[in-house]
Amino acid sequence: KHLDYCWVISLYHTENTQVVHARNVVCTWKPILVFRKGRSGKIESCSGHAMVDSFRNDYRDKEFHEWGQGESAVKYLIETFSNPDELVLDPMAGGGTTLVVAKETKRKCIGIEIDPVYVEKIKANLMKSKSVSMF
């Protein structure tokens, strides 16, 4: 109830598409839902430029999670929608890519992950990052 829906962004995969067997569909993109606190109107990117609502991911990092994203796609989103010292929330943290990139770009971050196996992988991912001293 404290966040407002803003937009959906299409992240197109340039490699390794996923077959959704239950629907018999080859999935070539991932929807990214954008929610913001108190900013549901005109979308202003932090750079002041118009936001682009579709882009290509240069790779999918599977080291820490089977659905992992490459850091460049996450970095684009974090830098578009937040400034240094602002808070980034990832409610399905998976392998922790968003948390790592948030720390590397000087953002505060909160990650939520229900699967204890991935919680341990998130810790390993954060320890791998040069900019993370504590989590």
Side-chain angles (χ1 to χ4, degrees):
K1 70 180 183 179
H2 300 289
L3 298 175
D4 295 311
Y5 167 80
C6 288
W7 204 253
V8 64
I9 296 172
S10 299
L11 173 60
Y12 289 92
H13 301 300
T14 57
E15 299 176 12
N16 300 335
T17 57
Q18 180 71 32
V19 177
V20 181
H21 294 284
R23 299 283 187 231
N24 198 31
V25 174
V26 175
C27 183
T28 60
W29 69 286
K30 181 181 289 185
I32 299 170
L33 300 177
V34 179
F35 289 82
R36 297 176 92 180
K37 184 176 181 180
R39 296 189 229 172
S40 63
K42 183 177 180 181
I43 298 173
E44 299 277 349
S45 71
C46 289
S47 66
H49 302 290
M51 178 195 74
V52 176
D53 71 354
S54 66
F55 61 98
R56 295 183 185 275
N57 192 17
D58 58 349
Y59 68 99
R60 292 169 64 187
D61 186 352
K62 304 300 182 195
E63 181 179 355
F64 295 98
H65 195 281
E66 64 184 316
W67 295 97
Q69 290 304 138
E71 290 183 4
S72 64
V74 175
K75 184 176 180 183
Y76 168 77
L77 293 167
I78 287 175
E79 290 181 337
T80 297
F81 291 106
S82 69
N83 292 305
D85 294 321
E86 289 186 333
L87 179 64
V88 173
L89 168 67
D90 187 347
M92 293 169 261
T97 303
T98 299
L99 306 176
V100 168
V101 174
K103 288 290 191 181
E104 289 175 353
T105 58
K106 310 281 191 256
R107 273 67 171 177
K108 299 171 190 167
C109 58
I110 296 173
I112 300 168
E113 179 54 54
I114 194 169
D115 188 333
V117 171
Y118 286 113
V119 170
E120 293 306 312
K121 290 184 178 192
I122 290 168
K123 290 178 183 178
N125 197 357
L126 286 167
M127 293 304 292
K128 167 188 95 153
S129 172
K130 299 176 198 125
S131 66
V132 178
S133 59
M134 184 168 105
F135 51 90

